[in-house]
């Protein structure tokens, strides 16, 4: 275990594209072990005396609570930093903020808008930087998703995951996560709302090494056909509230409901990163039904992120 930790120590988590399939499986294996140990009353205190700074430019429930609790359970401390309260809000550069925080902290988690801001923070920081969410990617969420799928399906390689809805940050990171772990992924999004072409291209490059298939289309029925896992997300993410009414009309045919999932495998599982809008992107019958594992998924944010923290800060 020490050799693995030394391999990860000091690394940033900006995108799953930056990690090998073996490294992602190492994170998932450790997450499963930490989860089991915590539930058996044998917690790991590998981050005793360590402090994580958490910068929030976007509000959060799961990200804040899971990182804060995760640091506590690992023996460390999490410091909440509202971006508006930092000198960032008064014009201090990201580079200068990174240099200063590196003198106080052992790691930084940032939840913000621009991926470029996270990358700049990582470039100038001397400590690990973890992407807690940007408009482009959401790697921590997808590590939790992969852990959840593995728990319920016994593995990842060869499974088919169908993503129905907006080609957003969750979709982008799922493309990388599936490609790196040998899962096949089909995306169904309306024209004009599909995942970014450069992300798809990178994912297909990753997929070539693992035998994964990546398909981008507009027909939700074809995407869901024979799927082992069905995933969706809100139709309007944070910062897109003004588009809500327009998007509601465009995405109406993409609701995950009982009619659509008849085309999935009988034992499919349903994932949603939450918060969810019942009656919009998903019907109540699905998210609250027997195929839904969204609460396991939400819990696994804690365990997946503990593994990341232990590996890069340990």
């Amino acid at each position: 275990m020490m050799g693995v930790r030394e391999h990860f120590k000091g690394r940033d988590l900006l995108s799953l594209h930056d990690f090998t399939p073996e490294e992602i499986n190492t994170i998932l294996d450790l997450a499963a072990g930490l989860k089991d140990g915590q539930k058996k009353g044998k917690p790991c205190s590998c981050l005793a005396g360590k402090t994580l700074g958490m910068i929030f430019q976007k509000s959060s429930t799961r990200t804040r609570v899971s990182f804060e609790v995760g640091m506590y359970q690992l023996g460390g401390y999490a410091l909440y930093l509202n971006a508006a309260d930092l000198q960032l809000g008064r014009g201090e550069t990201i580079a200068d903020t990174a240099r200063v925080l590196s003198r106080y902290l052992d790691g930084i988690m940032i939840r913000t808008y621009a991926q470029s801001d996270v990358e700049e923070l990582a470039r100038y920081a001397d400590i690990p930087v973890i992407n807690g969410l940007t408009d482009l990617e959401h790697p921590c969420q997808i590590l939790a998703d992969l852990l959840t799928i593995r728990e319920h399906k016994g593995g990842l390689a060869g499974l088919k995951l169908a993503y129905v809805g907006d080609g957003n940050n969750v979709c982008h990171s799922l493309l990388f996560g599936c490609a790196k772990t040998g899962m096949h992924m089909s995306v169904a999004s309306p024209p004009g709302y599909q995942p970014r072409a450069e992300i798809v291209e990178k994912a297909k490059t990753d997929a070539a090494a693992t035998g994964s298939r990546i398909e981008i289309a507009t027909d939700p029925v074809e995407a869901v056909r024979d799927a082992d896992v069905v995933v969706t997300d809100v139709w309007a993410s944070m910062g897109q509230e003004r588009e809500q009414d327009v998007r509601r009309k465009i995405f109406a045919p993409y609701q995950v409901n009982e009619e659509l999932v008849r085309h999935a495998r009988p034992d499919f599982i349903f994932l949603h990163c939450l918060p969810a809008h019942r009656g919009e992107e998903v019907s109540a019958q699905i998210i609250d039904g027997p195929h839904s594992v969204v609460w396991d998924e939400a819990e696994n944010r804690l365990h997946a992120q503990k593994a990341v923290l232990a590996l890069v800060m340990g």
Side-chain angles (χ1 to χ4, degrees):
M1 186 62 189
M2 183 55 69
V4 173
R5 287 184 178 175
E6 288 301 317
H7 176 66
F8 277 88
K9 190 174 182 179
R11 295 239 345 235
D12 301 315
L13 173 58
L14 310 183
S15 169
L16 292 184
H17 178 64
D18 300 332
F19 288 76
T20 67
E22 293 75 19
E23 289 169 339
I24 290 175
N25 282 320
T26 295
I27 295 171
L28 298 178
D29 288 344
L30 180 57
L34 289 171
K35 181 177 183 177
D36 183 63
Q38 189 70 35
K39 291 185 179 297
K40 289 180 178 177
K42 299 177 180 178
C44 169
S45 58
C46 58
L47 295 186
K50 299 291 182 73
T51 303
L52 174 74
M54 307 187 301
I55 301 175
F56 285 89
Q57 289 186 312
K58 284 189 174 185
S59 60
S60 168
T61 298
R62 280 150 292 277
T63 298
R64 178 175 178 180
V65 175
S66 57
F67 270 105
E68 196 160 331
V69 172
M71 281 298 294
Y72 173 77
Q73 291 184 353
L74 291 172
Y77 178 76
L79 179 65
Y80 175 76
L81 302 169
N82 187 317
D85 297 332
L86 298 175
Q87 294 298 332
L88 278 169
R90 298 179 59 202
E92 185 170 47
T93 66
I94 293 173
D96 286 354
T97 299
R99 293 182 181 108
V100 170
L101 293 181
S102 294
R103 301 297 181 101
Y104 299 141
L105 305 169
D106 301 287
I108 301 171
M109 186 284 297
I110 180 169
R111 180 178 170 93
T112 188
Y113 293 89
Q115 181 80 8
S116 59
D117 287 351
V118 179
E119 292 169 354
E120 185 175 1
L121 187 69
R123 185 159 53 249
Y124 290 98
D126 296 326
I127 54 178
V129 172
I130 299 170
N131 179 358
L133 174 142
T134 67
D135 288 344
L136 187 67
E137 297 196 44
H138 199 352
C140 291
Q141 176 64 54
I142 274 49
L143 288 172
D145 292 357
L146 295 174
L147 181 61
T148 306
I149 296 166
R150 199 170 78 161
E151 287 176 347
H152 285 269
K153 293 296 182 180
L156 296 171
L159 297 176
K160 178 182 176 181
L161 183 147
Y163 178 90
V164 180
D166 188 24
N168 59 11
N169 49 5
V170 169
C171 180
H172 290 160
S173 290
L174 272 173
L175 283 165
F176 290 143
C178 287
K180 293 284 187 177
T181 58
M183 293 180 66
H184 310 306
M185 182 169 172
S186 294
V187 178
S189 303
Y193 295 90
Q194 295 184 325
R196 292 193 186 185
E198 66 270 23
I199 297 290
V200 174
E201 201 58 39
K202 286 182 179 179
K204 286 185 175 180
T205 300
D206 292 339
T210 63
S212 171
R213 293 192 306 273
I214 303 294
E215 299 174 345
I216 311 296
T218 58
D219 184 354
V221 172
E222 285 306 310
V224 169
R225 194 177 305 281
D226 296 325
D228 300 282
V229 184
V230 178
V231 187
T232 192
D233 193 9
V234 295
W235 291 340
S237 299
M238 275 183 284
Q240 299 172 334
E241 288 82 4
R242 293 182 180 180
E243 303 174 30
Q244 182 68 49
D245 291 341
V246 172
R247 284 173 171 259
R248 191 177 289 118
K249 295 175 183 177
I250 293 172
F251 281 91
Y254 291 82
Q255 183 187 81
V256 176
N257 51 37
E258 289 179 303
E259 181 179 353
L260 180 62
V261 299
R262 287 194 187 102
H263 301 280
R265 291 189 179 275
D267 61 346
F268 83 93
I269 58 173
F270 173 75
L271 298 177
H272 191 306
C273 64
L274 304 176
H277 299 152
R278 289 165 176 78
E280 291 190 12
E281 73 272 7
V282 61
S283 68
Q285 290 87 348
I286 298 301
I287 193 170
D288 298 321
H291 294 276
S292 176
V293 295
V294 297
W295 312 119
D296 293 341
E297 177 189 11
E299 178 189 341
N300 280 337
R301 286 290 303 277
L302 170 64
H303 307 299
Q305 287 160 190
K306 283 172 65 176
V308 172
L309 292 168
L311 287 166
V312 304
M313 291 174 58

